[in-house]
Amino acid sequence: MRKKIVAGNWKMNNSFNRGIELATEINKLVRKQDEHNVTVILSPPYIHLAEIARIIDKDVVSVAAQNCAAEPKGAFTGEVSAKMIKSTGAQYIIIGHSERRQYYCEDNPVLKQKVLRALENSLTPIFCIGELLSERESGNHFKVVKSQLEEALFDLPANAFGKIVVAYEPVWAIGTGVTASSAQAQEMHAFIRLTIADKYGKEMADSISILYGGSCKPSNAKELFANPDVDGGLIGGAALQADDFFAIINSF
Ligand code: PGA
């Protein structure tokens, strides 16, 4: 059985105090549930990580960083290493988000290094892939997504690849209010799984969780999550309110 995951990517939002408040609210709502069949992940800015990891109930909520350095340690002012992230109690790192690719020029070779740093420190990478609007309009979306997988992940040995969570986030759907239709999401998720199966075999492909991200909200999460190859969501805007985020968690 693949893990069902709902991860909230707070991006550069929430003061320290508001972040702690939001994490506390979400933890309380999830704690009260009878069943815990969804892995709930909060991905706040770095400064929140240690405190949120301390206050949440780790058996029902996990913590992710939004990025890490490509280098293991040293004179890299302003950077945060995977080892430091691990020491906060976080368990996951989002790597390759399209905002990192677009605004910070992170390309597949750099992202490959970041994935290695995460794995070396026993952190699970949530690896983001997805095409630009122009790439979809020119019919290149499958090609782009395939090359993102190949260039950043497909040198990993099978035992390491098996630890990855993939997030498909079409760039044109992020923060725009435009969601991929349920059929578009399923089509791409099935393609991603097939691409993984071609490289690592069907059993591996069937075990990898593939999340959808891009304007996922309480009103569309149910339809998106009902697809056989959609194993959850990476949520931006709708993760900033406890009730909305909780409604998405309950959309399975
Ligand atoms: P959004 O962001 O839900 O606000 O579109 C998703 C993401 O960037 O992970």
Side-chain angles (χ1 to χ4, degrees):
M1 267 292 274
R2 288 193 289 273
K3 250 190 192 178
K4 294 180 167 109
I5 299 173
V6 175
N9 174 12
W10 295 1
K11 309 193 180 186
M12 197 172 72
N13 292 296
N14 291 332
S15 67
F16 183 75
N17 287 342
R18 171 59 193 146
I20 302 310
E21 187 182 75
L22 177 58
T24 306
E25 287 167 11
I26 293 166
N27 187 70
K28 207 160 142 196
L29 289 168
V30 175
R31 173 86 280 167
K32 272 201 284 198
Q33 282 180 308
D34 295 332
E35 286 185 32
H36 298 279
N37 51 2
V38 179
T39 298
V40 177
I41 303 173
L42 303 181
S43 187
Y46 288 136
I47 58 154
H48 296 88
L49 285 177
E51 182 61 7
I52 292 182
R54 193 182 70 77
I55 60 166
I56 51 164
D57 294 317
K58 281 208 178 61
D59 55 330
V60 291
V61 179
S62 301
V63 184
Q66 296 174 15
N67 182 29
C68 71
E71 302 79 11
K73 64 179 280 202
F76 299 99
T77 300
E79 287 293 272
V80 174
S81 73
K83 191 170 186 178
M84 289 153 68
I85 290 165
K86 178 72 181 179
S87 74
T88 67
Q91 300 101 316
Y92 294 83
I93 308 185
I94 297 174
I95 297 177
H97 191 278
S98 66
E99 286 148 20
R100 301 294 316 170
R101 293 177 188 260
Q102 271 190 297
Y103 307 141
Y104 301 94
C105 305
E106 294 189 0
D107 56 11
N108 293 323
V110 167
L111 298 173
K112 188 173 166 176
Q113 293 306 310
K114 295 190 176 200
V115 167
L116 293 175
R117 295 295 90 76
L119 292 171
E120 282 162 11
N121 288 285
S122 306
L123 289 158
T124 300
I126 301 174
F127 191 77
C128 303
I129 53 179
E131 81 284 358
L132 304 170
L133 183 58
S134 57
E135 291 165 338
R136 178 164 281 264
E137 285 175 345
S138 60
N140 285 319
H141 44 301
F142 293 116
K143 206 171 107 197
V144 168
V145 163
K146 187 174 182 195
S147 69
Q148 289 170 336
L149 285 168
E150 285 174 344
E151 290 173 27
L153 301 179
F154 279 6
D155 285 339
L156 291 171
N159 62 343
F161 185 84
K163 302 198 169 104
I164 305 276
V165 173
V166 174
Y168 168 59
E169 301 206 301
V171 180
W172 46 273
I174 296 177
T176 57
V178 182
T179 321
S181 69
S182 174
Q184 282 172 322
Q186 169 56 26
E187 182 186 39
M188 184 58 89
H189 282 230
F191 172 78
I192 293 166
R193 208 176 294 289
L194 198 67
T195 306
I196 296 171
D198 283 347
K199 170 72 185 170
Y200 290 100
K202 189 173 179 320
E203 201 179 320
M204 170 72 84
D206 285 342
S207 73
I208 298 286
S209 297
I210 307 177
L211 315 183
Y212 169 80
S215 299
C216 183
K217 41 190 181 256
S219 59
N220 59 24
K222 213 180 183 85
E223 196 187 342
L224 286 161
F225 295 175
N227 286 301
D229 286 297
V230 177
D231 305 309
L234 182 54
I235 318 299
L240 297 174
Q241 298 298 332
D243 289 347
D244 284 350
F245 190 61
F246 190 59
I248 294 173
I249 294 166
N250 284 320
S251 295
F252 275 107

